[in-house]
Amino acid sequence: DMHGNAVALSGRDCSTQRHFQKIFEEGPPSIVPKATFTQMERAAQRLTQNLGYIGAGTVEYLYNAAENKFYFLELNPRLQVEHPVTEELTNVNLPATQLQVLMGIPLSNIPQIRNFYGKAPEDTTSPIDFMQDTYVYPTKHVIAARITAENPDDGFKPTSGKIERIKFQSSVSCWGYFSVGANGGIHEYADSQFGHIFAHGTTRE
């Protein structure tokens, strides 16, 4: 925020990729021990604080499970299309939080952030040390799947053509959105992704 604070809103695992493009993204990361993941969060917080970064961003790491070590990849200074995974895990509306931060409101004064740290609704003043205090660990698992127009018989190359039918019924635990509708199409210059499905449950299974 504008007051030098940085909060880590859990995390996501995007290991499942094809042609360097994410296919599935899920959270919280299940392969990383919690103690190591906390180190990753703290490192991300220190990075953004040292940069004087203000706003939402995603710090990405490579994780070596055999050695339990992680390596910095990049900082994406924006919301990513998988941000609903984080929102479902944390109950924090990221676009709304970003706007509040840019209005100059300290992170510790934002109700959804306080709730993420287990603060009661009537407690609006007790301090939060984002580098020391722990948040309420998510009680659910969330998975996002990209829906793409690709040809598996041709090395999963992007394909174009007409969409004859899209039928998907969202529910409380599974919802999706699509950039095309019935009688629409995907032209040859478009990205192969045309939809996203998000689902959550009490466990990964």
Short mmCIF file of all heavy atoms in Angstrom, two decimals, residues 167-200:
data_model
loop_
_atom_site.label_atom_id
_atom_site.label_comp_id
_atom_site.label_asym_id
_atom_site.label_seq_id
_atom_site.Cartn_x
_atom_site.Cartn_y
_atom_site.Cartn_z
N LYS A 167 -22.44 -24.95 -23.77
CA LYS A 167 -23.46 -25.16 -22.75
C LYS A 167 -22.76 -25.48 -21.44
O LYS A 167 -22.15 -26.54 -21.28
CB LYS A 167 -24.39 -26.31 -23.14
CG LYS A 167 -25.56 -26.50 -22.18
CD LYS A 167 -26.51 -27.59 -22.63
CE LYS A 167 -27.67 -27.74 -21.67
NZ LYS A 167 -28.60 -28.82 -22.10
N PHE A 168 -22.81 -24.53 -20.52
CA PHE A 168 -22.19 -24.72 -19.22
C PHE A 168 -23.05 -24.07 -18.16
O PHE A 168 -23.39 -22.90 -18.27
CB PHE A 168 -20.78 -24.11 -19.19
CG PHE A 168 -20.09 -24.27 -17.87
CD1 PHE A 168 -19.46 -25.45 -17.54
CD2 PHE A 168 -20.07 -23.23 -16.95
CE1 PHE A 168 -18.83 -25.61 -16.31
CE2 PHE A 168 -19.45 -23.38 -15.72
CZ PHE A 168 -18.82 -24.57 -15.41
N GLN A 169 -23.41 -24.83 -17.16
CA GLN A 169 -24.26 -24.33 -16.08
C GLN A 169 -23.43 -24.10 -14.84
O GLN A 169 -22.96 -25.05 -14.21
CB GLN A 169 -25.39 -25.32 -15.79
CG GLN A 169 -26.36 -24.84 -14.73
CD GLN A 169 -27.15 -23.61 -15.17
OE1 GLN A 169 -27.72 -23.62 -16.26
NE2 GLN A 169 -27.17 -22.59 -14.34
N SER A 170 -23.22 -22.85 -14.48
CA SER A 170 -22.43 -22.54 -13.29
C SER A 170 -23.20 -22.92 -12.02
O SER A 170 -24.43 -22.92 -12.01
CB SER A 170 -22.08 -21.05 -13.25
OG SER A 170 -21.18 -20.71 -14.29
N SER A 171 -22.43 -23.23 -10.97
CA SER A 171 -23.01 -23.52 -9.66
C SER A 171 -22.20 -22.76 -8.62
O SER A 171 -21.27 -22.03 -8.95
CB SER A 171 -22.99 -25.03 -9.38
OG SER A 171 -21.65 -25.48 -9.25
N VAL A 172 -22.54 -22.96 -7.36
CA VAL A 172 -21.83 -22.27 -6.29
C VAL A 172 -20.37 -22.70 -6.25
O VAL A 172 -19.47 -21.89 -6.03
CB VAL A 172 -22.51 -22.54 -4.93
CG1 VAL A 172 -21.68 -21.97 -3.79
CG2 VAL A 172 -23.91 -21.95 -4.92
N SER A 173 -20.11 -23.99 -6.48
CA SER A 173 -18.75 -24.51 -6.34
C SER A 173 -18.01 -24.65 -7.67
O SER A 173 -16.84 -25.01 -7.69
CB SER A 173 -18.78 -25.88 -5.65
OG SER A 173 -19.55 -26.80 -6.41
N CYS A 174 -18.67 -24.35 -8.76
CA CYS A 174 -18.03 -24.46 -10.06
C CYS A 174 -18.66 -23.45 -11.01
O CYS A 174 -19.86 -23.49 -11.26
CB CYS A 174 -18.18 -25.88 -10.62
SG CYS A 174 -17.33 -26.14 -12.20
N TRP A 175 -17.84 -22.54 -11.53
CA TRP A 175 -18.38 -21.52 -12.43
C TRP A 175 -17.36 -21.23 -13.52
O TRP A 175 -16.18 -21.54 -13.41
CB TRP A 175 -18.73 -20.24 -11.67
CG TRP A 175 -17.57 -19.53 -11.05
CD1 TRP A 175 -17.00 -19.79 -9.83
CD2 TRP A 175 -16.81 -18.46 -11.62
NE1 TRP A 175 -15.95 -18.95 -9.60
CE2 TRP A 175 -15.80 -18.12 -10.67
CE3 TRP A 175 -16.88 -17.76 -12.83
CZ2 TRP A 175 -14.87 -17.11 -10.91
CZ3 TRP A 175 -15.96 -16.75 -13.06
CH2 TRP A 175 -14.97 -16.43 -12.11
N GLY A 176 -17.85 -20.67 -14.62
CA GLY A 176 -16.95 -20.38 -15.73
C GLY A 176 -17.43 -19.19 -16.53
O GLY A 176 -18.54 -18.70 -16.36
N TYR A 177 -16.55 -18.72 -17.39
CA TYR A 177 -16.89 -17.64 -18.31
C TYR A 177 -16.24 -17.93 -19.66
O TYR A 177 -15.22 -18.62 -19.75
CB TYR A 177 -16.46 -16.27 -17.77
CG TYR A 177 -14.96 -16.07 -17.69
CD1 TYR A 177 -14.22 -15.64 -18.80
CD2 TYR A 177 -14.27 -16.30 -16.51
CE1 TYR A 177 -12.86 -15.45 -18.73
CE2 TYR A 177 -12.91 -16.11 -16.43
CZ TYR A 177 -12.20 -15.68 -17.54
OH TYR A 177 -10.84 -15.51 -17.48
N PHE A 178 -16.85 -17.41 -20.71
CA PHE A 178 -16.37 -17.65 -22.06
C PHE A 178 -16.40 -16.35 -22.86
O PHE A 178 -17.28 -15.52 -22.67
CB PHE A 178 -17.24 -18.72 -22.75
CG PHE A 178 -17.26 -20.03 -22.01
CD1 PHE A 178 -18.21 -20.26 -21.01
CD2 PHE A 178 -16.33 -21.01 -22.27
CE1 PHE A 178 -18.23 -21.44 -20.30
CE2 PHE A 178 -16.34 -22.20 -21.58
CZ PHE A 178 -17.29 -22.43 -20.59
N SER A 179 -15.43 -16.20 -23.75
CA SER A 179 -15.33 -14.97 -24.55
C SER A 179 -16.09 -15.08 -25.87
O SER A 179 -16.14 -14.12 -26.63
CB SER A 179 -13.86 -14.64 -24.83
OG SER A 179 -13.23 -15.71 -25.52
N VAL A 180 -16.67 -16.25 -26.13
CA VAL A 180 -17.49 -16.42 -27.33
C VAL A 180 -18.77 -17.13 -26.94
O VAL A 180 -18.85 -17.76 -25.89
CB VAL A 180 -16.75 -17.25 -28.42
CG1 VAL A 180 -15.54 -16.50 -28.95
CG2 VAL A 180 -16.34 -18.60 -27.89
N GLY A 181 -19.77 -17.01 -27.79
CA GLY A 181 -21.03 -17.67 -27.53
C GLY A 181 -21.45 -18.53 -28.71
O GLY A 181 -20.69 -18.70 -29.68
N ALA A 182 -22.65 -19.07 -28.64
CA ALA A 182 -23.17 -19.87 -29.75
C ALA A 182 -23.21 -19.02 -31.01
O ALA A 182 -23.49 -17.82 -30.97
CB ALA A 182 -24.56 -20.38 -29.41
N ASN A 183 -22.90 -19.63 -32.11
CA ASN A 183 -22.83 -18.98 -33.43
C ASN A 183 -21.66 -18.00 -33.53
O ASN A 183 -21.58 -17.20 -34.46
CB ASN A 183 -24.13 -18.23 -33.74
CG ASN A 183 -25.33 -19.16 -33.77
OD1 ASN A 183 -25.23 -20.26 -34.33
ND2 ASN A 183 -26.44 -18.74 -33.20
N GLY A 184 -20.76 -18.07 -32.55
CA GLY A 184 -19.55 -17.26 -32.61
C GLY A 184 -18.42 -18.05 -33.24
O GLY A 184 -18.63 -19.10 -33.84
N GLY A 185 -17.23 -17.55 -33.11
CA GLY A 185 -16.09 -18.24 -33.69
C GLY A 185 -14.78 -17.72 -33.15
O GLY A 185 -14.73 -16.69 -32.47
N ILE A 186 -13.73 -18.45 -33.43
CA ILE A 186 -12.38 -18.08 -33.03
C ILE A 186 -11.55 -17.90 -34.30
O ILE A 186 -11.39 -18.84 -35.08
CB ILE A 186 -11.76 -19.15 -32.13
CG1 ILE A 186 -12.60 -19.32 -30.87
CG2 ILE A 186 -10.31 -18.80 -31.77
CD1 ILE A 186 -12.17 -20.46 -30.00
N HIS A 187 -11.07 -16.67 -34.51
CA HIS A 187 -10.33 -16.44 -35.75
C HIS A 187 -8.85 -16.78 -35.55
O HIS A 187 -8.36 -16.97 -34.44
CB HIS A 187 -10.51 -15.00 -36.24
CG HIS A 187 -10.03 -13.95 -35.29
ND1 HIS A 187 -8.70 -13.66 -35.08
CD2 HIS A 187 -10.72 -13.10 -34.49
CE1 HIS A 187 -8.58 -12.68 -34.21
NE2 HIS A 187 -9.79 -12.32 -33.83
N GLU A 188 -8.13 -16.87 -36.65
CA GLU A 188 -6.77 -17.41 -36.62
C GLU A 188 -5.78 -16.51 -35.91
O GLU A 188 -4.67 -16.94 -35.57
CB GLU A 188 -6.29 -17.66 -38.06
CG GLU A 188 -6.31 -16.41 -38.93
CD GLU A 188 -5.95 -16.74 -40.38
OE1 GLU A 188 -4.91 -17.37 -40.58
OE2 GLU A 188 -6.74 -16.37 -41.27
N TYR A 189 -6.15 -15.25 -35.67
CA TYR A 189 -5.22 -14.34 -35.00
C TYR A 189 -5.50 -14.21 -33.51
O TYR A 189 -4.85 -13.42 -32.82
CB TYR A 189 -5.28 -12.96 -35.66
CG TYR A 189 -4.94 -13.00 -37.13
CD1 TYR A 189 -5.94 -12.81 -38.10
CD2 TYR A 189 -3.65 -13.26 -37.56
CE1 TYR A 189 -5.64 -12.87 -39.45
CE2 TYR A 189 -3.34 -13.31 -38.91
CZ TYR A 189 -4.34 -13.12 -39.85
OH TYR A 189 -4.04 -13.18 -41.19
N ALA A 190 -6.48 -14.96 -33.01
CA ALA A 190 -6.85 -14.88 -31.60
C ALA A 190 -6.02 -15.84 -30.76
O ALA A 190 -5.46 -16.82 -31.26
CB ALA A 190 -8.34 -15.20 -31.42
N ASP A 191 -5.92 -15.54 -29.47
CA ASP A 191 -5.33 -16.48 -28.54
C ASP A 191 -6.21 -17.71 -28.48
O ASP A 191 -7.43 -17.64 -28.65
CB ASP A 191 -5.24 -15.82 -27.16
CG ASP A 191 -4.48 -16.69 -26.16
OD1 ASP A 191 -5.11 -17.55 -25.52
OD2 ASP A 191 -3.26 -16.49 -26.03
N SER A 192 -5.61 -18.87 -28.24
CA SER A 192 -6.39 -20.11 -28.25
C SER A 192 -7.33 -20.24 -27.06
O SER A 192 -8.29 -20.99 -27.10
CB SER A 192 -5.44 -21.32 -28.28
OG SER A 192 -4.64 -21.37 -27.11
N GLN A 193 -7.08 -19.50 -25.98
CA GLN A 193 -7.97 -19.58 -24.83
C GLN A 193 -9.24 -18.78 -25.08
O GLN A 193 -9.18 -17.61 -25.45
CB GLN A 193 -7.29 -19.05 -23.56
CG GLN A 193 -8.20 -19.14 -22.35
CD GLN A 193 -7.59 -18.55 -21.09
OE1 GLN A 193 -6.45 -18.13 -21.10
NE2 GLN A 193 -8.36 -18.52 -20.02
N PHE A 194 -10.37 -19.41 -24.84
CA PHE A 194 -11.64 -18.69 -24.98
C PHE A 194 -12.56 -18.89 -23.79
O PHE A 194 -13.70 -18.44 -23.81
CB PHE A 194 -12.36 -19.11 -26.27
CG PHE A 194 -12.85 -20.53 -26.31
CD1 PHE A 194 -14.14 -20.85 -25.90
CD2 PHE A 194 -12.03 -21.56 -26.74
CE1 PHE A 194 -14.60 -22.16 -25.92
CE2 PHE A 194 -12.48 -22.87 -26.77
CZ PHE A 194 -13.76 -23.18 -26.36
N GLY A 195 -12.05 -19.53 -22.74
CA GLY A 195 -12.87 -19.72 -21.56
C GLY A 195 -12.04 -20.11 -20.35
O GLY A 195 -10.85 -20.43 -20.46
N HIS A 196 -12.68 -20.07 -19.20
CA HIS A 196 -12.04 -20.41 -17.95
C HIS A 196 -13.07 -21.05 -17.03
O HIS A 196 -14.20 -20.56 -16.94
CB HIS A 196 -11.50 -19.14 -17.28
CG HIS A 196 -10.09 -19.26 -16.83
ND1 HIS A 196 -9.19 -18.22 -16.89
CD2 HIS A 196 -9.38 -20.30 -16.30
CE1 HIS A 196 -8.00 -18.62 -16.43
NE2 HIS A 196 -8.10 -19.85 -16.07
N ILE A 197 -12.71 -22.12 -16.37
CA ILE A 197 -13.60 -22.76 -15.39
C ILE A 197 -12.89 -22.82 -14.04
O ILE A 197 -11.72 -23.18 -13.96
CB ILE A 197 -14.02 -24.17 -15.85
CG1 ILE A 197 -14.92 -24.07 -17.08
CG2 ILE A 197 -14.75 -24.92 -14.72
CD1 ILE A 197 -15.34 -25.41 -17.64
N PHE A 198 -13.60 -22.43 -12.99
CA PHE A 198 -13.06 -22.43 -11.63
C PHE A 198 -13.94 -23.34 -10.77
O PHE A 198 -15.17 -23.28 -10.84
CB PHE A 198 -13.07 -21.02 -11.03
CG PHE A 198 -12.24 -20.03 -11.80
CD1 PHE A 198 -12.76 -19.37 -12.90
CD2 PHE A 198 -10.94 -19.75 -11.42
CE1 PHE A 198 -11.99 -18.46 -13.62
CE2 PHE A 198 -10.16 -18.85 -12.12
CZ PHE A 198 -10.69 -18.19 -13.23
N ALA A 199 -13.28 -24.18 -9.97
CA ALA A 199 -14.03 -25.08 -9.09
C ALA A 199 -13.33 -25.16 -7.74
O ALA A 199 -12.10 -25.03 -7.65
CB ALA A 199 -14.13 -26.46 -9.71
N HIS A 200 -14.12 -25.34 -6.69
CA HIS A 200 -13.50 -25.47 -5.37
C HIS A 200 -14.22 -26.55 -4.55
O HIS A 200 -15.38 -26.87 -4.79
CB HIS A 200 -13.52 -24.14 -4.62
CG HIS A 200 -14.88 -23.66 -4.22
ND1 HIS A 200 -15.52 -24.08 -3.08
CD2 HIS A 200 -15.73 -22.78 -4.82
CE1 HIS A 200 -16.69 -23.49 -2.98
NE2 HIS A 200 -16.87 -22.70 -4.03
#
